[in-house]
C-alpha cells in the first residue's frame, strides 16, 4: 500500500466495484423477490403454517440477496487504473501500485462451464512481493508461476474482461501473454489463515504506527465521553431486537397450529424468546453502567462524573497520556506515576493491567473510551495544551488491545473486605455536581 500517489491524468480508469454491483443486480432482484414472496406467505392466514420449510428457504434466499447487495454496495468505490507507471488498485482513499518494471508477465486466465464463465487477470512479479499488503493480499495466489518460486496476483474481473484486456495491451504490450484457458477449479482462495498468523507476528515485532490528529479549536473544557450516547445506541439495539423477536414468534406460532411441526415451531419460538431475553438483560446492564456518566478534561486534569458523584485525575499524578486506536475503538490512555486504587467505584471499570510506558512505572492504568469517536481530535488538542510534558501521542494498535475489566477480581476483593470496596474521596468533594456544564460556551463537545 502506498500513500500520496495517484494515477496520471491520462490513465485508463475502470470502476471495478461499480461494474460488479451493476452485474449482480439481476441476481439480487431475483433473490430479494424470493425473500419477499416468503414473507408474504408467512403473513397470510395464521402465520407460516405447514409450508414453513419452503418458505424458510425463500426467506434464506432473500437474506442471501440482501447480503450480496450490501457487500457489492460497500465495494462500489473500488477502482482499478492503468498508466505508464503500472497497475493501480484503489479502495476509497487508499491505493496500491504494482509497477510494470516489477512484473515478468501479465495475462488473463479463463474457464467456462455450461452456465458460468470466470475471467481473472494474472500479474506475475519477477521477484519477491509483499504477500500481506493490506490492499492486495486477497489477490495473492501460490500457484504455478512463470518461473519456479514466484507468487502471483489473481484478480477476478468477471464480464469486464474485454476492457481489462484492452488496457493491458495499451499500457504493457511487452508483458501481455494473452488469454489461456484453465480448468474450472483454478481460481483458488486467498491464504486467510496464513495472513492472520503473519500479520499477528508482525504486529508483535513492528513498532505501532503513529496517529495523526487534525488541528481543532477547543474551549476551556473538552468532552472525552458522553455516556448517554452509548445508552441511546443500546436502546436502539434493544428496540430492534424486540421487534424482530416479536415478529418471529408471531410467524412461528400460528393461532391454530397442531402436530409435530407446530411443536417444533413453538420450541424454536421459545428459544428465540429466551435468547432475546438474555440479550436484553445484558443490554440493560450495560446501559445502567453508562447512564449519567460523563468524562471531561480541562487544565486541572480528567474529570469523571456519574450520577452526581465525581472524581478527578490531576495531570500531575500521571506519567503519560495518549490515545490508542483500533477502529472503531479509540481510547484515552492515562498512565499513573504511582499505584492506583483498582477498585474505585467510579474508575474500576477502566483499569487495565498492561505493559507500562517505561520500567519502574506501575502496570495498572486507566483506559477510557472516547465517544463519539470523532472527538479524538479535540481530546488530542486538549492533551497537547494542558499536559504537553506527558503527551506521548497516538498509536494504532492491534484489534482486541482494549482488554476487559476485571469484574470477577473486583467482586472477590469486595467480598474479602466485607462489602463494597471503598475509595479515596474525590479531589473536589464539596462539588457533587458535574465539574463543568456542557451548556457553557467554554466547553468543547465531541463532534
Amino acid at each position: 500500500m502506498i500513500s500520496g500517489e495517484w494515477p496520471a491524468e491520462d490513465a485508463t480508469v475502470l470502476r471495478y466495484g461499480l461494474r460488479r454491483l451493476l452485474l449482480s443486480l439481476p441476481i439480487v432482484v431475483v433473490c430479494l423477490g424470493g425473500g419477499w414472496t416468503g414473507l408474504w406467505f408467512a403473513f397470510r392466514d395464521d402465520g407460516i403454517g405447514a409450508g414453513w420449510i419452503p418458505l424458510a428457504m425463500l426467506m434464506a434466499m432473500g437474506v442471501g440477496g440482501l447480503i450480496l447487495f450490501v457487500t457489492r454496495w460497500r465495494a462500489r468505490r473500488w477502482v482499478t487504473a492503468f498508466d505508464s507507471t503500472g497497475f493501480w488498485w484503489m479502495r476509497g482513499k487508499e491505493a496500491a501500485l504494482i509497477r510494470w518494471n516489477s512484473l515478468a508477465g501479465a495475462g488473463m486466465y479463463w474457464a467456462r462451464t455450461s452456465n458460468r464463465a470466470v475471467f481473472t487477470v494474472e500479474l506475475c512479479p519477477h521477484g519477491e512481493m509483499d504477500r500481506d499488503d493490506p490492499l492486495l493480499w486477497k489477490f495473492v495466489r501460490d500457484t504455478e508461476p512463470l518461473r519456479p518460486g514466484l507468487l502471483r496476483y489473481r484478480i477476478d474481473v468477471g464480464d469486464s474482461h474485454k476492457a481489462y484486456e484492452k488496457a493491458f495491451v495499451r499500457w504493457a504490450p511487452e508483458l501481455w501473454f494473452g488469454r489461456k484457458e484453465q480448468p474450472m477449479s483454478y481460481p483458488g482462495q486467498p491464504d486467510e489463515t496464513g495472513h492472520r498468523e503473519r500479520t499477528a507476528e508482525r504486529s508483535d515485532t513492528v513498532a505501532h504506527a503513529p496517529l495523526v490528529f487534525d488541528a481543532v479549536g477547543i474551549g476551556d473544557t473538552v468532552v472525552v465521553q458522553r455516556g448517554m450516547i452509548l445508552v441511546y445506541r443500546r436502546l436502539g439495539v434493544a428496540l430492534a431486537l424486540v421487534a424482530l423477536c416479536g415478529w418471529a414468534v408471531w410467524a412461528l406460532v400460528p393461532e391454530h397450529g397442531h402436530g409435530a411441526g407446530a411443536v417444533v415451531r413453538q420450541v424454536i419460538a421459545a428459544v428465540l424468546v429466551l435468547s432475546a431475553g438474555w440479550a436484553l438483560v445484558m443490554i440493560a446492564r450495560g446501559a445502567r453502567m453508562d447512564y449519567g456518566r460523563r468524562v471531561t478534561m480541562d487544565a486541572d486534569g480528567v474529570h469523571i462524573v456519574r450520577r452526581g458523584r465525581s472524581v478527578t485525575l490531576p495531570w500531575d499524578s500521571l506519567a503519560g497520556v495518549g490515545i490508542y486506536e483500533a477502529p472503531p475503538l479509540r481510547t484515552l490512555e492515562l498512565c499513573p506515576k504511582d499505584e492506583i486504587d483498582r477498585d474505585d467505584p467510579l474508575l474500576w471499570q477502566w483499569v487495565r493491567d498492561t505493559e507500562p510506558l517505561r520500567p519502574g512505572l506501575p502496570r495498572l492504568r486507566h483506559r477510557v473510551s472516547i465517544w463519539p469517536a470523532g472527538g479524538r481530535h479535540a481530546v488530542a488538542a486538549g492533551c497537547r495544551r494542558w499536559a504537553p510534558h506527558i503527551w506521548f501521542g497516538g498509536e494504532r494498535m492491534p484489534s482486541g488491545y482494549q482488554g476487559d475489566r476485571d469484574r470477577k477480581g473486583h467482586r472477590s476483593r469486595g467480598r474479602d473486605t466485607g462489602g463494597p470496596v471503598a475509595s479515596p474521596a474525590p479531589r473536589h468533594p464539596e462539588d457533587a455536581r458535574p465539574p463543568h456544564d456542557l451548556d457553557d460556551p467554554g466547553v468543547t463537545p465531541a463532534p
Side-chain angles (χ1 to χ4, degrees), residues 164-431:
Y164 282 88
E165 184 173 353
K166 290 181 180 179
F168 274 108
V169 171
R170 175 188 175 187
W171 292 103
E174 69 282 359
L175 298 176
W176 182 252
F177 58 75
R179 293 192 198 181
K180 293 185 177 181
E181 186 173 2
Q182 302 291 320
M184 192 61 196
S185 59
Y186 86 92
Q189 296 294 329
D191 182 18
E192 297 188 9
T193 302
H195 173 72
R196 284 195 299 267
E197 293 175 352
R198 290 188 297 271
T199 52
E201 294 174 357
R202 185 177 301 180
S203 65
D204 292 337
T205 57
V206 178
H208 294 158
L211 300 178
V212 178
F213 300 101
D214 297 339
V216 296
I218 59 174
D220 296 332
T221 301
V222 172
V223 178
V224 178
Q225 182 185 113
R226 294 175 184 267
M228 290 306 297
I229 292 179
L230 301 177
V231 173
Y232 294 146
R233 291 182 60 180
R234 295 178 192 276
L235 181 60
V237 172
L239 291 176
L241 184 63
V242 169
L244 181 61
C245 183
W247 174 85
V249 171
W250 176 85
L252 286 168
V253 184
E255 184 178 354
H256 303 294
H258 56 83
V263 173
V264 171
R265 295 195 297 274
Q266 290 170 4
V267 171
I268 296 175
V271 171
L272 286 176
V273 170
L274 292 176
S275 301
W278 177 82
L280 290 175
V281 170
M282 300 303 295
I283 291 173
R285 289 179 61 182
R288 180 175 175 272
M289 296 291 294
D290 297 328
Y291 181 76
R293 187 175 65 201
R294 184 182 58 190
V295 182
T296 59
M297 64 166 58
D298 60 13
D300 293 330
V302 180
H303 309 279
I304 295 91
V305 180
R306 183 170 181 264
R307 298 180 182 178
R309 303 177 63 187
S310 65
V311 66
T312 297
L313 297 174
W315 296 120
D316 56 15
S317 70
L318 299 177
V321 59
I323 295 176
Y324 284 173
E325 173 182 296
L329 181 68
R330 282 90 180 179
T331 58
L332 177 64
E333 305 291 314
L334 303 172
C335 307
K337 293 179 179 178
D338 304 311
E339 294 293 339
I340 60 177
D341 179 7
R342 65 191 306 166
D343 296 306
D344 185 289
L346 293 184
L347 300 175
W348 73 267
Q349 59 182 313
W350 289 320
V351 174
R352 298 294 185 271
D353 186 351
T354 186
E355 195 67 28
L357 287 179
R358 56 181 180 271
L361 293 178
R363 289 183 57 87
L364 298 182
R365 68 170 65 176
H366 294 109
R367 176 168 289 158
V368 183
S369 301
I370 300 174
W371 287 103
R376 64 190 183 279
H377 304 292
V379 172
C383 293
R384 286 194 291 258
R385 175 193 289 186
W386 296 310
H389 56 292
I390 58 175
W391 168 250
F392 61 79
E395 293 184 8
R396 188 177 299 275
M397 304 296 288
S399 179
Y401 81 95
Q402 67 273 18
D404 200 4
R405 51 194 165 204
D406 184 18
R407 190 187 301 272
K408 291 184 178 180
H410 177 70
R411 289 176 178 173
S412 64
R413 289 188 293 271
R415 286 194 299 267
D416 292 341
T417 57
V421 180
S423 69
R427 183 175 179 180
H428 304 295
E430 72 281 1
D431 188 8

Side-chain angles (χ1 to χ4, degrees), residues 8-27:
E9 294 184 358
D10 61 343
T12 301
V13 178
L14 301 176
R15 300 192 177 279
Y16 179 87
L18 184 59
R19 287 170 177 254
R20 287 169 62 87
L21 173 63
L22 296 177
L23 291 173
S24 66
L25 285 181
I27 301 175

Side-chain angles (χ1 to χ4, degrees), residues 65-129:
L66 182 61
I67 293 174
L68 175 62
F69 176 75
V70 172
T71 302
R72 295 293 172 88
W73 177 261
R74 293 179 63 184
R76 70 191 185 280
R77 300 187 187 279
W78 294 4
V79 175
T80 57
F82 302 76
D83 65 7
S84 58
T85 307
F87 174 83
W88 295 80
W89 173 267
M90 293 172 287
R91 192 173 68 187
K93 297 182 179 180
E94 300 175 322
L97 171 62
I98 303 175
R99 300 182 182 274
W100 298 129
N101 58 15
S102 70
L103 296 178
M108 186 170 294
Y109 283 178
W110 69 281
R112 182 184 299 276
T113 62
S114 58
N115 57 1
R116 182 169 176 259
V118 177
F119 292 87
T120 59
V121 166
E122 306 289 316
L123 301 175
C124 308
H126 56 61
E128 294 294 330
M129 66 184 192

